[in-house]
Amino acid sequence: MGKIRVEGLKKSYGANQVLKGIDMQVKQGEVVCVIGPSGSGKSTFLRCINRLEDITEGKVIVDDQDLNDPKTDINKARENIGMVFQHFNLFPHFSVLKNIMFAPMELGKMNAKEARDTAMKLLARVGLADKADAFPSQLSGGQKQRVAIARALAMNPDVMLFDEPTSALDPEMVGEVLGVMKDLAREGMTMMIVTHEMGFAREVADRVIFMDGGYIIEDGTPEDVFGNPKNERTISFLQKVL
Amino acid sequence: MKSIKLSLFSLTLLLLMVTGLSGLAGGAAAEPNSGKTYVIGTDITFAPFEFQDVNGKYVGIDMDLMEAIAKDQNFKYEIKPLGFNAAVQALESNQVDGVIAGMSITDERKQKFDFSEPYFESGVVMAVGINNDTVKSYDDLKGKKVAVKTGTEGYTFAKSIASKYGFTIVPFDDSSQMYEDVKTGNSVACFEDYPVLRYVANQSKDLKFVTPKEAGASYGFAVGKGKNKELLEKFNTGLANLKASGEYDRIKEKYLGEDAAVSVKQSRGELILGSIQPLLVGLGKTLLYTIVSLFFAFILGLIFGFMKVGQNRFLRGVATVFVDLFRGIPLIVLALFIYFGIPQALGFTMPLFLAAILTLSLNAGAYVTEIIRGGIQSIDRGQMEAARSLGLPYRKAMIKIIIPQAIRVMVPAFINQLVITLKDTSILSAIGLVELTQSGKIIIARTYESFTIWAEVAIMYLIVITLLTKLSGYLEGRVRRG
């Protein structure tokens, strides 16, 4: 039984169909990287998995909960699905510490002391214990993204979604963020990562999915997809990026 | 939905409370008695029939007559100086019980009002500037401009001969503005009821008569058609008693006789000193109306602003209609519609204070809605997405994440709206609201000192608005620094 199950997923914006029928599963503890050219629908696909996008057709099931079932409490479901965004989206009016403590406290998961301890532990884990009292505007891009990961982890989710987490970073900062993500993968977190970092995908992913034109074109181990691509479009894409 | 209903309910409640309190305050001024207190509308400037004396008390032939008749017939009344047009409209829409404002009895007016026995024989006359030697008869008006006050007999007469003698009519809403236009020479002459012009000529020594007065109409006290019969009867009986006792002639003589008191010409210093206090009271009212209506505008803005950014299509539509409607209607039209139109259509009396607050609140509310919508939409979508992805419900995310950031964007726009609403209160002088501008008009009606008083009024607005603008700059700076 998959941790994440996607069945016949279609998504349109008006007349423009972005996702044209996607079926896939992600197992507990699996790390799946989604690659593909821009406009292929990979970010939209990822955003359907915590229902930031309402879907047009099909099913998205996370932890046996159908996210688009009206009976599902989407807020409760989202507590279990962490998300990290390309542009970090830290709350600029909160300190780093408050950014991380905010959701667990606001949603009654922890009291102030527990939230603070958790936040400090997470900050230490992403190497930013000394930045607890700083504000987001005082941080570099890499630091911001590491805080954003800590913020998502504070809710203790089962699944983590990453939407191009390093695309907005200066090259010298990509490593520090990927390092944190690698640690997370090693600890057994179920992860879906939309990324352009092919080296990272090859090294960390259990599976790589190549998307184009609203479809999944290839789905396999990194060795298969990178080493022995079967589809013409995969080959042409990889030639361009590798 | 529930919270919106609740907010609307509390808004209505608050409005009722505020207006109720002001009503109480007004009621407390009149002596508590069992009989009805009639509300009598009048002009703010129609010397010698009604005008404010130096102490701010309304005097004049109409006022003295009303007082004497009420005493004779033993009834209570309250004078509402609304301005002539506003008073007539207020009578039409039953906002007042009667009007005494040097109103000529005409067939047209008889269709809408019931008039008392005539209490004054009038007639239109032309006046020209004291130094004007070119205009000696109506023939000399060819190609010139002539000032008149809208809705008066003078206006009707001037209009009837305008094409014959080839002059242009310049209409004013206010007598003193009309005289001012003649004194400054913009217009060469004005047409007005004889007693009025005679009084002005006596007082100011700036006008003279070169033609005889036209045979004219008579003034009457008016009530709504078929309404307030007992008040009309009391007026007629009282008037007859006054005429019999000689009191009537004494009142007339007091204002129009050869030895009628001429008010002492004040020096500019005295004028400024004497006018500062009533103008400051007017400024206080302006600030009060501004603050109270912005308070309600803010509540309206919050309700409709959030409807506009919300996910419900129907509520978004409702909010859009609200904004388009009240942003699209000029403030003065809205004021006239609310104060005169709605009560006439639905047959009830609307307190002036309520009408003024409603008008300003709805107008500013539309703009505040847009400020709030703009502020919220200026916050990056990613903020809401990040909050929702953590499991926060929409409302919590809005309150804790979006609004605190949006407020920083909104502060300068709010201060700007404050300045605009403060200036807009002056427009409500059109429905007789006594605020700073109307206070100025009333003093000018007595003193005919346009330059000094308007300069004072302008400076008062300037000082307050400059202070607000400085405050805005300061707050903006603080917001920018975080």
Side-chain angles (χ1 to χ4, degrees), chain B residues 188-201:
Chain B
V188 291
C190 60
F191 284 88
E192 179 58 286
D193 292 352
Y194 176 71
V196 176
L197 276 183
R198 163 123 179 238
Y199 180 81
V200 173

Side-chain angles (χ1 to χ4, degrees), chain A residues 99-123:
Chain A
N99 260 280
I100 303 172
M101 291 166 63
F102 175 70
M105 278 180 68
E106 197 62 39
L107 295 170
K109 294 257 152 194
M110 301 175 193
N111 63 31
K113 189 180 175 309
E114 289 165 342
R116 180 176 300 270
D117 290 349
T118 306
M120 286 311 296
K121 250 181 249 165
L122 286 168
L123 276 177

Side-chain angles (χ1 to χ4, degrees), chain B residues 70-144:
Chain B
K71 207 170 164 189
D72 187 71
Q73 294 294 306
N74 196 23
F75 65 84
K76 307 258 176 222
Y77 70 102
E78 184 196 340
I79 287 291
K80 282 221 160 164
L82 300 171
F84 186 79
N85 285 332
V88 171
Q89 287 188 65
L91 185 58
E92 263 180 57
S93 50
N94 298 317
Q95 305 279 49
V96 294
D97 297 307
V99 164
I100 185 159
M103 193 191 324
S104 301
I105 304 171
T106 63
D107 289 340
E108 197 182 339
R109 284 182 184 148
K110 271 186 190 161
Q111 294 177 4
K112 283 178 183 158
F113 309 127
D114 287 335
F115 280 95
S116 68
E117 295 299 317
Y119 66 83
F120 195 92
E121 302 297 329
S122 187
V124 174
V125 73
M126 177 175 79
V128 296
I130 194 92
N131 299 318
N132 186 328
D133 296 326
T134 53
V135 178
K136 296 214 163 50
S137 71
Y138 296 159
D139 293 321
D140 301 325
L141 294 174
K142 196 169 177 59
K144 302 272 172 40

Side-chain angles (χ1 to χ4, degrees), chain B residues 28 30 61 94 139 155-156 207 397 400 416-417:
Chain B
I61 296 174
N94 298 317
D139 293 321
Y155 181 91
T156 313
L207 298 174
K400 296 287 174 113
N416 193 35
Q417 186 58 44

Side-chain angles (χ1 to χ4, degrees), chain B residues 158-357:
Chain B
K159 219 176 149 188
S160 71
I161 61 166
S163 55
K164 184 174 164 198
Y165 294 102
F167 58 82
T168 321
I169 285 175
V170 187
F172 290 93
D173 256 351
D174 193 277
S175 305
S176 56
Q177 288 167 4
M178 174 177 74
Y179 306 135
E180 209 58 36
D181 210 50
V182 177
K183 278 194 245 172
T184 56
N186 288 336
S187 298
V188 291
C190 60
F191 284 88
E192 179 58 286
D193 292 352
Y194 176 71
V196 176
L197 276 183
R198 163 123 179 238
Y199 180 81
V200 173
N202 276 354
Q203 295 287 324
S204 73
K205 317 281 185 215
D206 283 335
L207 298 174
K208 65 177 179 189
F209 305 104
V210 291
T211 51
K213 99 175 166 91
E214 301 292 328
S218 324
Y219 291 170
F221 168 74
V223 295
K225 188 108 193 142
K227 298 199 177 78
N228 283 310
K229 276 207 171 64
E230 72 297 334
L231 176 60
L232 201 59
E233 274 162 27
K234 282 176 185 169
F235 188 94
N236 282 333
T237 321
L239 182 63
N241 290 348
L242 294 189
K243 279 186 171 163
S245 71
E247 174 76 10
Y248 173 82
D249 287 327
R250 268 197 298 281
I251 290 173
K252 216 162 116 179
E253 201 64 8
K254 180 173 160 195
Y255 293 99
L256 293 174
E258 291 301 323
D259 48 354
V262 172
S263 60
V264 190
K265 190 89 179 157
Q266 286 175 302
S267 74
R268 179 156 291 165
E270 284 169 340
L271 181 69
I272 292 173
L273 277 178
S275 57
I276 277 224
Q277 199 263 339
L279 286 182
L280 282 178
V281 172
L283 179 63
K285 292 265 177 63
T286 289
L287 291 173
L288 176 72
Y289 293 130
T290 306
I291 289 162
V292 173
S293 39
L294 272 185
F295 173 76
F296 290 115
F298 196 77
I299 293 174
L300 287 173
L302 279 174
I303 295 170
F304 289 109
F306 281 106
M307 280 162 71
K308 256 199 136 167
V309 297
Q311 297 144 317
N312 186 314
R313 239 165 122 182
F314 172 73
L315 293 181
R316 266 207 313 268
V318 170
T320 305
V321 169
F322 169 77
V323 170
D324 289 351
L325 194 64
F326 291 108
R327 230 173 27 170
I329 301 176
L331 194 65
I332 185 155
V333 176
L334 186 61
L336 295 171
F337 184 74
I338 287 178
Y339 188 52
F340 298 126
I342 294 177
Q344 187 184 33
L346 303 181
F348 70 99
T349 310
M350 172 157 324
L352 184 56
F353 184 88
L354 177 63
I357 296 294

Side-chain angles (χ1 to χ4, degrees), chain A residues 10-134:
Chain A
K10 290 182 186 171
K11 166 75 184 173
S12 302
Y13 295 102
N16 179 24
Q17 195 174 43
V18 182
L19 301 176
K20 297 175 181 167
I22 291 185
D23 295 274
M24 60 91 74
Q25 298 205 0
V26 179
K27 290 200 287 270
Q28 171 79 43
E30 204 173 16
V31 176
V32 177
C33 282
V34 183
I35 61 171
S38 54
S40 59
K42 51 194 195 304
S43 275
T44 306
F45 172 43
L46 192 74
R47 289 160 59 85
C48 289
I49 291 169
N50 65 354
R51 227 188 94 185
L52 276 186
E53 302 289 346
D54 278 315
I55 66 175
T56 312
E57 227 178 277
K59 270 185 181 170
V60 176
I61 296 160
V62 180
D63 276 331
D64 296 325
Q65 273 196 301
D66 181 346
L67 295 190
N68 296 283
D69 184 336
K71 288 195 285 280
T72 301
D73 180 349
I74 187 63
N75 295 320
K76 269 269 169 283
R78 280 176 180 150
E79 288 179 9
N80 247 353
I81 311 169
M83 187 165 203
V84 174
F85 298 85
Q86 180 178 359
H87 295 288
F88 332 126
N89 299 349
L90 293 180
F91 306 134
H93 56 309
F94 290 165
S95 69
V96 163
L97 192 65
K98 178 111 192 259
N99 260 280
I100 303 172
M101 291 166 63
F102 175 70
M105 278 180 68
E106 197 62 39
L107 295 170
K109 294 257 152 194
M110 301 175 193
N111 63 31
K113 189 180 175 309
E114 289 165 342
R116 180 176 300 270
D117 290 349
T118 306
M120 286 311 296
K121 250 181 249 165
L122 286 168
L123 276 177
R125 191 163 147 196
V126 299
L128 291 170
D130 56 327
K131 296 290 184 189
D133 296 322

